[in-house]
Amino acid sequence: MIWRRWLLWGILTTLPLGVALSLAGRFVSGPEDAPARADLIVALGGDGGNRVREVLRLYATNHAPRILLTGIESGDPLTRPAYLEWRAKFLATQGVPASALLFDTRSGNTWEEAGNTLALMQQHGWHRVLVVSDPPHLRRLSWVWGEVFAHSGLEFRLVPSPMPGWEAGAWWRNEKSAQFVLMELIKLTYYLAKY
């Protein structure tokens, strides 16, 4: 009889946790926006190539006349320009002129990327930016960019880059996806506490 109570207790305590974990991929990967005409496209730091390819697609389809490449998050400030260089070279080989490229070597995290982009937009009188990142980053980006852009009168739109192997509803089946989801949950908690 006692084993039944323990079994029932086990089911009642693990079922909600299992449901929450199964929904975690969908939680971290939303919300996303449809691309619209903008003044600027931003390829956020931490890119392994997916983001810059999506930025290229948006640029090639005339969504914006300029691209901002941001530095790798938490990277050494002295090496950030080299990190930006490979993405700039890739874009140049695909026909993007150097005059369309802008660089942010100062940002060391997501909050700084949003703040530096906002300052750049205000400086130039731009009104809308498309922010490109991997799908599991969108929830945190939505909160951070929303906080930074609040009351500015300027708009950001979050556009997910293609991410091979990403399935929001089955994120645990792919090691890279699982790492993304777990890290994003930790980062979101950190950002909510810090800012």
Side-chain angles (χ1 to χ4, degrees):
M1 299 299 178
I2 291 177
W3 68 270
R4 287 184 186 167
R5 287 184 188 159
W6 280 106
L7 178 62
L8 180 61
W9 180 83
I11 291 170
L12 292 176
T13 56
T14 58
L15 186 61
L17 178 61
V19 170
L21 285 175
S22 71
L23 297 174
R26 286 189 174 86
F27 173 74
V28 298
S29 63
E32 66 180 66
D33 301 306
R37 182 88 173 118
D39 300 295
L40 180 67
I41 306 167
V42 177
L44 294 181
D47 185 10
N50 297 331
R51 297 174 194 177
V52 75
R53 283 194 349 252
E54 180 63 12
V55 164
L56 175 63
R57 186 191 71 76
L58 293 169
Y59 179 82
T61 54
N62 298 314
H63 280 86
R66 59 195 65 82
I67 297 168
L68 174 65
L69 301 173
T70 67
I72 189 167
E73 294 181 7
S74 303
D76 184 321
L78 295 176
T79 62
R80 285 183 195 149
Y83 171 76
L84 297 173
E85 188 176 308
W86 78 260
R87 295 189 296 166
K89 283 182 179 179
F90 169 77
L91 291 169
T93 64
Q94 301 301 309
V96 176
S99 60
L101 298 177
L102 303 165
F103 303 92
D104 172 9
T105 59
R106 298 177 302 144
S107 294
N109 61 42
T110 303
W111 193 274
E112 291 172 2
E113 286 174 321
N116 289 336
T117 301
L118 177 63
L120 182 67
M121 291 174 69
Q122 290 170 330
Q123 177 185 351
H124 291 281
W126 298 333
H127 302 286
R128 180 183 293 151
V129 60
L130 302 179
V131 182
V132 177
S133 193
D134 299 316
H137 297 160
L138 297 183
R139 175 70 56 190
R140 181 169 49 94
L141 293 177
S142 176
W143 182 78
V144 169
W145 285 69
E147 290 290 309
V148 172
F149 274 60
H151 313 297
S152 70
L154 304 181
E155 181 185 354
F156 69 91
R157 298 179 72 82
L158 299 176
V159 180
S161 57
M163 187 174 156
W166 172 251
E167 291 181 58
W171 57 270
W172 58 87
R173 293 183 187 159
N174 176 296
E175 182 179 349
K176 185 177 179 182
S177 295
Q179 290 171 353
F180 265 113
V181 169
L182 297 175
M183 285 306 298
E184 280 304 308
L185 291 172
I186 292 167
K187 286 180 178 182
L188 182 58
T189 303
Y190 171 77
Y191 273 77
L192 289 170
K194 182 171 181 176
Y195 300 103

